Amino acid sequence: MSESQSSNREQSMEKYFFRAAAEDFMKIPGQAIAYWASDAVMEIFDENPPLSKLIETREGLTTGGNNLFLRLWHEVSFQSVGLRMSGNLHAQESKKRYFPYVKGGDFRRWSGNYEYVVNWFNDGEELKIFKDPATGRVRSHNYNGEYGFKTGFTWSGISSGTFAVRNVPVGFMFDAKGPMGFSLAQNKQGIHEAFLNSTVTNNLLKMLAPTLDFKLGHILNLPTVESLPDEVRVNRDYCVTASLDDWNSFETSWAFTSLPLLKVDLSQKRLKTSYQNLRSGWRQITLEIQRLEQENNRIFINAYGLQDELTPEVPLSEITLTCNPHYRYGGDKTEEELEALLLADTMREFISYAMGCMFGRYALDKPGLVLANQGETIEDYRRLVPNSRFEADADNVIPMLDGEWFADDVTERFRQFLRVTFGDDHYDENLAFIEQALNPKGKRNFTLRDYMLGEFYTDHVKRYKKRPIYWMFSSPKGTFNALIYLHRYRPDTASVVLRYLRELRAKLAARQSTLEQVLINPATSQGEKTKAVKEIDSLKKQIIELQDYENDTLYPLATANVALDLDDGVKVNYLKLGAALKKIAGLDAKEED
């Protein structure tokens, strides 16, 4: 190699190396080896006080037995949940058993991920004495102390690459996987949340926590600039409110009141028009939060003197609203694919809400939860909703079958719901819109009944994180399916399901007899006979399936009069009904404590 070639190679290699003095690393708390950090970044750490001067952080409660003490909020009787408690004494005096619990969760900014409740009855008396059976030692620790139920902010320990904090209002306990920060000056909390959700924080944390496992010390060591315009807080306030509204717009929130698609200011006779109006509003909110986040980023970048290193832009995929398809679905999907997914999910949510109205969990004429406590009845519903436009199911059993064998079949009930909510004038058009939306892959002859039989329960189990509230009794090959609502379950519920099963079997037998008469009728054509023979063969197999399901499974269960306790949670209760219910993959898996 010539001397000039060697020189050129050395020069070209220099761009792959960084040079930094050892004393520079001392400027970064924890002495993280951020060799790529610029002089400007080094000076930020050197010249500004750490966030620990302005906030306190605490790692949260370790229950020692999450499967015993934690529940997704929808599993338990809602009357046993204490919301908005101001402190431990308030919680204790309330006599409630469960309280909201921060436990990490998906990447989301500003607000949300309010899913869990913890058994903290009487100041956590059961949890505090829970012992390891092998050692006799109490397994729980870090009881939140004076920080329990205080307002603050939280974050998830391990992120997909972007740090984000969420506001936590008054009334929450918190977990080791959902540590919390508390502003020493309450009026500064909005500023601190805005800073922690900025691109400046995200960039600095990549130096403090290169593995993206964000510990308390990483947050406390962030450098702070205190002189900031009030615009930052105002922007943050809007983002928190909009994010909370978004979270509460879906039925998996305990503050859900009614389906946005059915709100008066959006409602049209044509479902398509209502959806387009709703989608337009979602798009405006998403773009407004993007604008405000970018404005805050610009303020923080200028305050930290990082104009040459960072830009304020925030991609749509990081605007963490459930109504934003770029965040909700991610990946490299086209706009057309994203819109198809959002439309399909919105129609699934419409059907899910309708199911809630069928069972009385919700009502068109009363906002929020209606029947959400163990053992509530149709009489309770009628007392709470005296003039319902859409009556809840009387016996808490809704058949889900491949045919209109019962008047209260789930598909027929949804059709009634669609007529009540959007009227008769455009009923066929509205039903076709739903069926087309639910069929993004363009399956031939796909109908609402196909969705109900093939996809609804899978969607429900996924929506409720494998802790469903509507349970499906199902024969081995699916000839018989019936849904019940857990919170209205009684020990005789299986007997009611059994009556439906026997009635269906009688109807199938009657149909078989009719077809056998067709076969012996001399006027029947050969084509009709061939078709009748095929259907008779299918009916015989279905009748045998139902008889075996009754004898082996449903009748023994009905005679057992199994009682359930919502406090045990879905995981325990679902298994008590055994093979009578449709199997949920992974339900019996061991959980982390």
Side-chain angles (χ1 to χ4, degrees):
M1 182 182 297
S2 68
E3 184 176 337
S4 62
Q5 288 175 320
S6 177
S7 176
N8 289 340
R9 181 175 179 180
E10 289 174 3
Q11 291 175 6
S12 66
M13 290 294 289
E14 282 184 0
K15 64 183 178 182
Y16 297 105
F17 293 92
F18 298 85
R19 291 186 172 88
E23 58 268 22
D24 286 338
F25 294 126
M26 302 294 290
K27 297 176 181 178
I28 301 177
Q31 300 179 33
I33 308 300
Y35 53 81
W36 61 87
S38 67
D39 291 343
V41 170
M42 296 287 190
E43 291 308 311
I44 288 172
F45 282 103
D46 192 40
E47 296 179 357
N48 294 286
L51 192 57
S52 60
K53 301 291 186 182
L54 305 174
I55 72 168
E56 295 177 296
T57 58
R58 288 293 183 274
E59 189 173 272
L61 169 65
T62 297
T63 68
N66 283 351
N67 58 323
L68 293 176
F69 300 109
L70 294 191
R71 297 286 179 263
L72 289 166
W73 73 268
H74 59 259
E75 296 183 73
V76 302
S77 289
F78 195 62
Q79 65 187 6
S80 67
V81 178
L83 300 177
R84 295 177 291 278
M85 298 292 113
S86 60
N88 264 310
L89 181 60
H90 187 193
Q92 196 169 358
E93 291 174 344
S94 74
K95 305 299 182 183
K96 302 289 187 179
R97 177 166 293 274
Y98 296 101
F99 301 90
Y101 192 66
V102 173
K103 192 181 184 302
D106 296 335
F107 166 62
R108 187 177 173 96
R109 287 194 184 103
W110 305 118
S111 187
N113 287 357
Y114 309 144
E115 300 172 315
Y116 285 90
V117 290
V118 62
N119 177 356
W120 197 250
F121 176 72
N122 198 23
D123 197 33
E125 64 178 11
E126 295 174 43
L127 185 148
K128 289 179 178 179
I129 62 171
F130 176 59
K131 296 180 180 180
D132 189 310
T135 66
R137 297 179 62 182
V138 173
R139 297 183 63 178
S140 59
H141 55 88
N142 287 359
Y143 302 130
N144 293 173
E146 63 182 295
Y147 295 91
F149 303 104
K150 286 181 63 175
T151 184
F153 49 85
T154 187
W155 61 93
S156 301
I158 298 179
S159 167
S160 59
T162 303
F163 182 75
V165 300
R166 299 178 299 282
N167 175 261
V168 179
V170 166
F172 284 73
M173 298 287 284
F174 56 99
D175 183 88
K177 291 186 178 179
M180 283 189 63
F182 306 91
S183 298
L184 298 178
Q186 188 59 50
N187 63 347
K188 294 293 185 180
Q189 180 174 323
I191 297 288
H192 297 153
E193 290 177 7
F195 168 60
L196 291 169
N197 275 332
S198 72
T199 189
V200 170
T201 286
N202 194 56
N203 185 261
L204 296 177
L205 278 176
K206 288 177 181 177
M207 300 175 193
L208 295 172
T211 63
L212 306 182
D213 187 4
F214 304 116
K215 302 297 185 184
L216 303 185
H218 299 138
I219 312 305
L220 292 170
N221 283 327
L222 287 165
T224 60
V225 173
E226 291 195 60
S227 180
L228 294 163
D230 194 53
E231 180 184 0
V232 168
R233 182 193 55 77
V234 173
N235 293 346
R236 168 267 183 196
D237 290 350
Y238 179 92
C239 291
V240 168
T241 299
S243 181
L244 182 59
D245 287 346
D246 172 74
W247 181 261
N248 291 339
S249 294
F250 297 86
E251 67 178 67
T252 46
S253 165
W254 57 65
F256 173 80
T257 55
S258 62
L259 198 71
L261 192 65
L262 299 179
K263 287 186 177 177
V264 174
D265 58 337
L266 295 169
S267 182
Q268 303 285 329
K269 293 297 182 183
R270 285 185 169 87
L271 178 57
K272 181 178 181 179
T273 305
S274 278
Y275 176 73
Q276 288 172 338
N277 291 344
L278 179 64
R279 179 68 186 101
S280 176
W282 283 346
R283 187 177 289 108
Q284 290 175 17
I285 291 168
T286 301
L287 293 175
E288 178 63 5
I289 289 187
Q290 183 185 43
R291 184 187 73 80
L292 295 176
E293 287 191 13
Q294 290 179 164
E295 180 59 31
N296 273 1
N297 281 343
R298 189 173 294 108
I299 291 170
F300 283 113
I301 287 171
N302 290 338
Y304 281 79
L306 294 175
Q307 297 92 330
D308 295 334
E309 303 198 22
L310 299 176
T311 60
E313 282 71 30
V314 181
L316 276 176
S317 60
E318 290 186 15
I319 305 303
T320 57
L321 301 175
T322 308
C323 70
N324 171 22
H326 295 269
Y327 159 71
R328 188 170 180 176
Y329 309 112
D332 55 356
K333 298 177 180 65
T334 65
E335 286 288 336
E336 184 178 0
E337 290 171 329
L338 292 173
E339 292 300 329
L341 289 169
L342 186 62
L343 172 59
D345 274 340
T346 305
M347 293 304 106
R348 292 184 185 109
E349 287 147 12
F350 182 27
I351 292 171
S352 181
Y353 178 69
M355 189 71 71
C357 292
M358 292 178 207
F359 280 119
R361 182 172 177 84
Y362 304 111
L364 288 173
D365 309 286
K366 184 177 176 62
L369 293 166
V370 180
L371 303 183
N373 303 302
Q374 181 157 3
E376 289 187 314
T377 66
I378 189 63
E379 287 74 23
D380 294 311
Y381 177 86
R382 288 168 179 163
R383 175 175 51 81
L384 293 167
V385 192
N387 298 300
S388 177
R389 287 178 290 155
F390 184 81
E391 178 81 344
D393 188 77
D395 61 13
N396 191 36
V397 176
I398 299 179
M400 183 178 277
L401 304 170
D402 189 11
E404 297 178 5
W405 297 102
F406 295 94
D408 60 346
D409 174 80
V410 67
T411 304
E412 180 56 32
R413 286 284 276 156
F414 179 77
R415 289 173 179 151
Q416 296 168 6
F417 186 82
L418 182 60
R419 290 182 186 276
V420 170
T421 51
F422 283 91
D424 291 324
D425 292 347
H426 302 284
Y427 168 77
D428 291 334
E429 176 188 343
N430 290 336
L431 181 60
F433 179 73
I434 293 170
E435 291 177 336
Q436 184 177 357
L438 294 172
N439 185 26
K441 294 183 180 179
K443 299 175 186 175
R444 292 185 62 186
N445 303 317
F446 185 87
T447 66
L448 175 65
R449 191 175 295 278
D450 291 325
Y451 170 75
M452 291 296 195
L453 285 174
E455 300 176 34
F456 170 80
Y457 199 62
T458 299
D459 286 345
H460 176 66
V461 170
K462 181 179 178 182
R463 178 173 291 109
Y464 283 84
K465 297 196 169 183
K466 294 190 177 180
R467 301 294 184 269
I469 53 173
Y470 311 134
W471 290 5
M472 183 185 284
F473 283 78
S474 184
S475 61
K477 295 183 180 178
T479 296
F480 175 82
N481 300 290
L483 292 167
I484 68 163
Y485 174 32
L486 170 61
H487 292 55
R488 289 178 61 189
Y489 176 89
R490 304 184 316 182
D492 67 346
T493 295
S495 296
V496 180
V497 175
L498 179 58
R499 290 201 294 270
Y500 276 90
L501 176 76
R502 288 173 171 173
E503 188 175 344
L504 175 63
R505 193 172 70 243
K507 290 179 177 183
L508 295 179
R511 173 63 178 166
Q512 180 183 332
S513 296
T514 300
L515 291 171
E516 288 170 345
Q517 291 300 312
V518 169
L519 288 180
I520 63 175
N521 187 338
T524 304
S525 69
Q526 186 57 46
E528 290 171 328
K529 288 183 178 181
T530 300
K531 185 178 179 181
V533 168
K534 185 176 180 181
E535 187 176 346
I536 288 171
D537 183 57
S538 176
L539 287 168
K540 287 179 178 178
K541 293 176 181 177
Q542 290 176 338
I543 291 169
I544 292 171
E545 177 195 347
L546 298 186
Q547 186 67 63
D548 289 345
Y549 178 58
E550 175 180 337
N551 293 341
D552 299 341
T553 305
L554 193 52
Y555 179 76
L557 180 65
T559 57
N561 288 317
V562 175
L564 303 180
D565 184 344
L566 292 189
D567 286 344
D568 290 337
V570 168
K571 185 180 176 71
V572 170
N573 284 323
Y574 201 90
L575 299 178
K576 286 181 181 179
L577 302 191
L581 299 178
K582 189 173 183 66
K583 183 177 175 59
I584 297 176
L587 185 67
D588 54 358
K590 188 178 185 301
E591 289 186 359
E592 234 180 68
D593 284 337

